[in-house]
Amino acid sequence: GRSVPASPARPSRRRAGLPTASSADKPRATEATAQGNESISSIFREHQQRLRRIFDDCDADGSGDMSLSELACALRRDSNLADEYGLQQLVTVNIDDEIEKLFKDADKDNSGKISWREFYEMMLHLHMGLGREQERKPKRVSIKYGGNLQNEDFTCKNANVFDWELDYWKLEPKDEVFLVMQAIQAVDCLSEIDIAVDCMSRFIQEIKLTYLEVPYHNFQHALAVVHYAFRLLQSGPGFHRMNRTDRFTLIIGALCHDCGHRGRNTAFEIMTRSDLALTYNDKSPLENHHCAMAFKVALKQRVYGKSCNIFEHLSSETFSTVRQSMVTAILATDMKFHQDHVDKLAKFGSGAEFEEDKGFMLNLLLHSADISNPLMPQAISERWGVLISQEFTAQHEEEKKLGLPITAMMAGLEDPRKAAKSQLGFIDFIVTPMITHLFKFYPTLKTPKENLEANKNILHKKAE
């Protein structure tokens, strides 16, 4: 998660590092990793310092061990940190119903206390879902197809990828999966990309779990970007202007482009010296994180022992091409590159010239879909406007709380007039200079053009 203000220093009673394989009683977490959970436990180790801080903060008597009440405090502390700072909640349990069983299971030596080692291993096992499969199952949708994506029907009444208007918030979990599968089918890439339905379903649902419950940069936003990346390609250049692997990359890149977004912008990540900023040396930390999470899910994650690797049937050469293109396209969604996109697009005299630069076309379509809210029908566009204002306001409040420089454009958005003016500025200075070229190249983009004008008119009235 994002950087958390440091707790007051406390004397160290034990070494704060992870239990090591050379310890006298080798941790059971190591046994779990040996059984195929290496990727999850390695990711979890990134949260070691946060866990240690929780452990120390809740060890009220300073004994170096935890009582039942102190364990309850620790689990609530994990939840409160997640809510307050937009962090990933490491485990989700019903504290009132499960706390006694959790404590008993963790207390291996029946001492009536649990040590740091036992606490750490308990949290690791809960994070991996070990022993709690029945709780995990309802979170996923079982797609009862055994064959290849190309041969199945994913029609559903609530989601049609060919429509310009979708209410992303009314989609059921199965509708969400079907919407992505519709897009992959429709871009006609499956003669070259062999994917089983159950594998794709697992991948989509695991990617969904990487998205956090923030107001704007959530899974509904990912679905909207999948939808509009598909529609802009279909109604603009057309499928035949992009090769099959690039079409596949566009849809999967759209799905994954904001994996793990914390609801704060790049400047905030850098200013707070977050783990992402430090990991990626302040260079597109969010976008690098999104890419890394997507490929970790595909290549490392398993669901009930089954793979999520949608790339497993690709040749090494094709996988390398897809990976490079997808990483490049997601990194290109960093807003610091926006003006570069606009300047380059302005140099093309026609759609045909634009289509000659295949890599740029892929990057541009994904970036356009990412900022496409003003191109959507009024009710949908208006809701996205409210949500981005909420997310900006939350960042503004946190900046004040942490004593950081205030991002001026995020201040005062509770005022509807100021929020409307902010959205108009986004349209006039960000969206219009880029999308106007696509409208000129492709008159077939009539509906989003009309939506943009209608939304501008509505916002002008609200801003008066």
Side-chain angles (χ1 to χ4, degrees):
R2 295 185 308 282
S3 293
V4 180
S7 300
R10 295 184 55 174
S12 175
R13 294 177 299 276
R14 296 188 176 195
R15 189 176 67 85
L18 285 174
T20 64
S22 60
S23 299
D25 58 334
K26 185 176 180 180
R28 286 169 293 280
T30 305
E31 298 170 12
T33 61
Q35 296 172 7
N37 292 306
E38 295 91 341
S39 62
I40 303 175
S41 60
S42 65
I43 294 169
F44 194 71
R45 277 195 290 269
E46 297 174 7
H47 302 292
Q48 174 202 351
Q49 289 183 331
R50 174 174 155 196
L51 273 178
R52 187 69 207 201
R53 180 176 297 161
I54 290 172
F55 183 90
D56 286 346
D57 285 349
C58 295
D59 177 17
D61 61 5
S63 65
D65 295 300
M66 272 191 169
S67 65
L68 178 64
S69 62
E70 288 169 341
L71 175 59
C73 166
L75 293 174
R76 290 191 178 95
R77 179 67 172 148
D78 174 44
S79 176
N80 291 340
L81 280 173
D83 291 341
E84 187 173 357
Y85 294 105
L87 303 169
Q88 177 188 6
Q89 188 169 343
L90 299 180
V91 300
T92 304
V93 298
N94 187 320
I95 296 176
D96 294 332
D97 294 342
E98 298 183 67
I99 184 65
E100 290 188 11
K101 183 179 185 304
L102 290 174
F103 185 85
K104 183 178 179 181
D105 290 345
D107 182 17
K108 299 300 182 183
D109 59 2
N110 297 314
S111 65
K113 295 275 190 177
I114 60 174
S115 66
W116 156 244
R117 179 192 300 280
E118 290 168 333
F119 173 71
Y120 173 79
E121 291 176 7
M122 180 198 75
M123 296 292 278
L124 171 61
H125 282 221
L126 289 173
H127 189 64
M128 294 190 298
L130 299 180
R132 304 178 72 234
E133 294 297 317
Q134 293 303 313
E135 290 188 23
R136 289 169 60 88
K137 286 182 180 178
K139 296 180 181 178
R140 294 184 174 83
V141 179
S142 178
I143 307 297
K144 301 295 185 182
Y145 296 101
N148 184 286
L149 266 171
Q150 191 170 19
N151 305 317
E152 305 294 350
D153 180 11
F154 299 108
T155 303
C156 58
K157 66 178 182 179
N158 295 324
N160 183 348
V161 76
F162 289 94
D163 291 339
W164 278 111
E165 181 171 3
L166 286 179
D167 189 335
Y168 309 104
W169 300 275
K170 288 186 177 180
L171 298 181
E172 296 294 329
K174 188 172 182 178
D175 300 332
E176 296 171 346
V177 173
F178 274 29
L179 178 68
V180 180
M181 290 185 173
Q182 287 174 24
I184 293 170
Q185 270 190 339
V187 296
D188 188 27
C189 63
L190 294 171
S191 60
E192 294 182 10
I193 310 289
D194 180 21
I195 309 173
V197 174
D198 58 349
C199 182
M200 177 56 75
S201 175
R202 287 192 295 273
F203 177 76
I204 294 169
Q205 294 181 75
E206 287 303 300
I207 288 296
K208 178 180 178 178
L209 292 176
T210 69
Y211 280 86
L212 306 182
E213 293 184 5
V214 294
Y216 182 87
H217 289 97
N218 50 40
F219 191 62
Q220 284 73 36
H221 171 64
L223 294 174
V225 176
V226 167
H227 179 209
Y228 266 64
F230 170 80
R231 290 300 277 122
L232 290 172
L233 173 61
Q234 182 207 21
S235 297
F239 300 147
H240 63 291
R241 298 297 186 186
M242 185 180 283
N243 66 47
R244 286 183 170 87
T245 55
D246 280 351
R247 292 177 227 158
F248 172 74
T249 301
L250 176 64
I251 301 304
I252 300 301
L255 177 69
C256 302
H257 82 284
D258 271 335
C259 286
H261 199 294
R262 289 97 169 278
R264 303 293 184 264
N265 66 9
T266 293
F268 184 92
E269 296 286 346
I270 293 172
M271 189 68 66
T272 56
R273 301 172 187 172
S274 73
D275 56 334
L276 299 187
L278 297 178
T279 297
Y280 298 108
N281 299 312
D282 298 347
K283 297 184 181 191
S284 301
L286 287 170
E287 291 74 21
N288 273 295
H289 179 55
H290 307 326
C291 295
M293 290 196 77
F295 282 96
K296 283 180 181 178
V297 167
L299 303 179
K300 302 294 185 181
Q301 187 74 297
R302 299 186 73 82
V303 180
Y304 309 132
K306 296 182 179 179
S307 172
C308 300
N309 188 3
I310 59 173
F311 308 114
E312 64 183 335
H313 296 304
L314 300 183
S315 67
S316 296
E317 181 180 359
T318 302
F319 171 73
S320 295
T321 299
V322 169
R323 175 166 162 74
Q324 182 178 0
S325 296
M326 183 168 150
V327 169
T328 300
I330 292 176
L331 292 178
T333 64
D334 188 336
M335 286 302 297
K336 73 179 183 180
F337 300 120
H338 176 77
Q339 192 57 48
D340 294 338
H341 297 329
V342 174
D343 293 342
K344 185 169 183 176
L345 191 58
K347 294 177 182 178
F348 295 112
S350 66
E353 288 184 23
F354 167 59
E355 293 157 13
E356 287 296 315
D357 192 333
K358 304 298 185 186
F360 179 65
M361 179 168 60
L362 170 60
N363 299 347
L364 197 283
L365 288 173
L366 180 55
H367 180 52
S368 297
D370 192 22
I371 61 172
S372 64
N373 301 341
L375 310 183
M376 297 179 184
Q378 185 267 326
I380 304 299
S381 181
E382 182 176 25
R383 183 162 182 180
W384 283 125
V386 170
L387 294 174
I388 193 62
S389 292
Q390 290 176 0
E391 196 165 290
F392 282 171
T393 297
Q395 177 170 327
H396 170 65
E397 292 301 317
E398 190 166 1
E399 288 171 344
K400 289 195 298 183
K401 183 176 182 179
L402 298 177
L404 299 174
I406 298 300
T407 305
M409 73 172 189
M410 297 183 181
L413 297 181
E414 303 92 335
D415 178 356
R417 291 179 67 252
K418 184 160 186 181
K421 290 179 179 179
S422 174
Q423 291 167 45
L424 280 171
F426 180 72
I427 289 174
D428 290 339
F429 298 110
I430 301 296
V431 178
T432 299
M434 185 170 75
I435 206 68
T436 297
H437 296 288
L438 292 182
F439 290 159
K440 181 177 68 174
F441 296 161
Y442 306 109
T444 45
L445 294 172
K446 180 181 177 182
T447 298
K449 184 177 182 179
E450 292 174 348
N451 288 341
L452 179 62
E453 289 304 313
N455 288 327
K456 281 184 66 175
N457 291 336
I458 290 169
L459 288 169
H460 274 297
K461 292 178 181 178
K462 290 183 177 181
E464 291 175 354

